[in-house]
Amino acid sequence: MSYEYRTGLGWDSHRIAVGRPLILGGVTVESEFGLDGHSDADILLHAITDALLGALALGDIGMHFPDTDPRWKGAESMQFLTHALGLVAERGYEVVNMDTTVILERPKLKDYRVKIREHIAANLKLELDQVSVKFKTAEKVGPVGEGRSAEAQAVVTVRRRTQS
Ligand code: C5P
Ligand code: MG
C-alpha cells in the first residue's frame, strides 16, 4: 500500500479578556479570564483548522469563516474544524496525526490535557494517540508572558492512498 502525505501548519493568537470564557480545544477551562474574539476564540481549534486547510493549500480560516459574518458571532469553533476536515476528506485524505502547543502563562492547563485530547479526537473520529496537545508558558516575556495574550500552534499530517 502506498500513500501521498501532506503536512499543514497553523498558528493563532487572541487577546486575554476578563469576563470571557477560556475555551481550549472545545473544553471550558476554569480561569479568571478568557480570550477575546468574534467566535468562541478557541485558539487551539483555530490553529488546528488552519493546519488542516494548509495541508491541502485550501487557504485559511478567515477565508472560509470571515469574522465580519454575523453567522460566526459566538460560534463554536469545533464547527470550523469539522468543516475543514470535511474538505480534506472530500479530497480523499485522512488525518495521520496532529501535534499542537498552547502557549499561555496561566492558568495551569496540564490537568485538562486528556479531556481536550479526548474531545478533539471524538469530534474528528480519531484515536487518542493521533491527537497531541502540549502546553508552555512564555517565561513571563512578551505579550503572552505578560498575560496579555495567548497563542496556539498546530501541525497536521494527512495522507491519501495512491495504490491499493
Ligand atoms: O513553559 P514551561 O516550560 O515552564 O512549562 C512547563 C510545563 O508546565 C509544561 O510542560 C506544561 O506541561 C505545563 N504547563 C501547563 N499550563 C501552562 C503552561 C505550562 O500545564 N499554562
Ligand atoms: Mg482565532
Side-chain angles (χ1 to χ4, degrees):
M1 218 134 52
S2 80
Y3 294 92
E4 183 201 358
Y5 289 82
R6 300 182 64 129
T7 296
L9 172 70
W11 176 88
D12 196 23
S13 173
H14 281 241
R15 250 195 306 265
I16 281 174
V18 176
R20 290 265 305 176
L22 179 60
I23 302 171
L24 294 171
V27 172
T28 301
V29 171
E30 206 172 303
S31 173
E32 292 152 27
F33 50 78
L35 295 172
D36 213 1
H38 183 69
S39 67
D40 63 5
D42 190 328
I43 46 172
L44 178 54
L45 296 189
H46 294 178
I48 298 169
T49 302
D50 261 2
L52 259 183
L53 293 171
L56 293 190
L58 295 173
D60 60 33
I61 193 169
M63 196 181 111
H64 293 269
F65 308 100
D67 64 6
T68 48
D69 188 330
R71 270 185 303 167
W72 313 125
K73 188 165 166 52
E76 270 190 35
S77 295
M78 193 60 85
Q79 67 181 279
F80 304 155
L81 180 52
T82 53
H83 179 82
L85 183 65
L87 297 176
V88 166
E90 264 172 28
R91 287 160 179 76
Y93 288 84
E94 61 179 2
V95 171
V96 176
N97 75 301
M98 60 180 67
D99 186 21
T100 68
T101 304
V102 174
I103 309 135
L104 181 63
E105 208 61 22
R106 64 187 177 90
K108 277 279 171 234
L109 298 167
K110 58 183 168 44
D111 292 347
Y112 289 91
R113 194 190 319 269
V114 174
K115 198 172 174 191
I116 292 171
R117 292 174 63 211
E118 282 173 351
H119 189 71
I120 295 169
N123 277 273
L124 302 188
K125 300 184 172 58
L126 297 172
E127 298 297 327
L128 194 58
D129 71 358
Q130 292 176 287
V131 180
S132 161
V133 176
K134 311 190 303 302
F135 306 114
K136 292 299 284 182
T137 68
E139 299 286 348
K140 298 190 170 67
V141 178
V144 177
E146 291 163 9
R148 291 188 280 126
S149 65
E151 294 182 10
Q153 305 171 335
V155 175
V156 178
T157 296
V158 298
R159 71 178 182 184
R160 173 171 71 175
R161 199 178 282 185
T162 51
Q163 273 172 356
S164 51

